[in-house]
Amino acid sequence: QRYLVIPKTGSVRRVYYPVAFVDPVVIASTDLFTCVDATVFHFGVLASAMHTTWILAIAGRFKSDPRYSAGLVFNNFPWPEPDTKQRAAVEKAAQAVLDARKPHIDGGGSLADLYDPLAMPAELVQAHAALDRAVDAAYAYKGSKDDAARVAFLFARYSELAAPLDAAAQAGKVTKPRRK
């Protein structure tokens, strides 16, 4: 089955982190993270400005470029909890991003070229803007579009999600595994 790939190293120049679905005949290298059961909804959230902002705030660096990690970036990302209508809106907008990419990729272009901020096709820019609106709605995010506001929002969301774990740890109900 097709699967989603996330590059380990991105570019600080890009507005979006270029995740992609690939066919099962593609063997992923160690420079990619893979998500086997990912849906168009997952693609949409991971391809959004919200997730790119999280990457830029949380990820390590290779030179000045973000270095994605499963443990630090992906596993700690505070996913939205959309209703059915919001999920459908994200899926529709995500599919529009995939559709906007298709003629360029089918024509032999690469995602690196496609996501060059100076050469990004207008239809792809518009599709991503619509995706960002849908993902923001799924989060009920109404703040500014700048990175600082998004990071503050995501950290607040992360704190909400982590609060029950913190309370359980303080009550002694959760313990760290012991090393041998």
Side-chain angles (χ1 to χ4, degrees), residues 2 19-21 40 43-44 47 90-107 111 114-115 121-128 131:
R2 78 179 185 162
V19 299
F21 282 110
V40 174
F43 167 83
V90 170
E91 290 169 346
K92 181 179 178 184
Q95 187 59 55
V97 169
L98 292 169
D99 293 344
R101 287 176 170 185
K102 189 167 177 34
H104 303 280
I105 299 299
D106 289 351
L111 286 178
L114 196 56
Y115 279 87
E123 66 273 11
L124 184 57
V125 171
Q126 292 168 353
H128 267 288
L131 176 61

Side-chain angles (χ1 to χ4, degrees), residues 34-100:
T34 60
C35 300
V36 176
D37 293 326
T39 65
V40 174
F41 172 77
H42 297 115
F43 167 83
V45 174
L46 294 173
S48 71
M50 194 67 82
H51 188 249
T52 299
T53 300
W54 181 256
I55 294 167
L56 294 174
I58 299 298
R61 295 284 185 266
F62 180 73
K63 298 184 182 181
S64 62
D65 294 325
R67 183 88 169 146
Y68 202 94
S69 79
L72 187 60
V73 179
F74 185 86
N75 290 341
N76 292 309
F77 179 63
W79 285 81
E81 296 176 4
D83 60 29
T84 305
K85 184 178 175 183
Q86 291 167 332
R87 179 180 275 277
V90 170
E91 290 169 346
K92 181 179 178 184
Q95 187 59 55
V97 169
L98 292 169
D99 293 344

Side-chain angles (χ1 to χ4, degrees), residues 141-159:
Y141 178 72
K142 296 179 181 10
S144 172
K145 304 301 181 209
D146 67 87
D147 286 354
R150 286 184 185 279
V151 168
F153 173 82
L154 288 168
F155 273 112
R157 178 78 180 117
Y158 177 84
S159 293

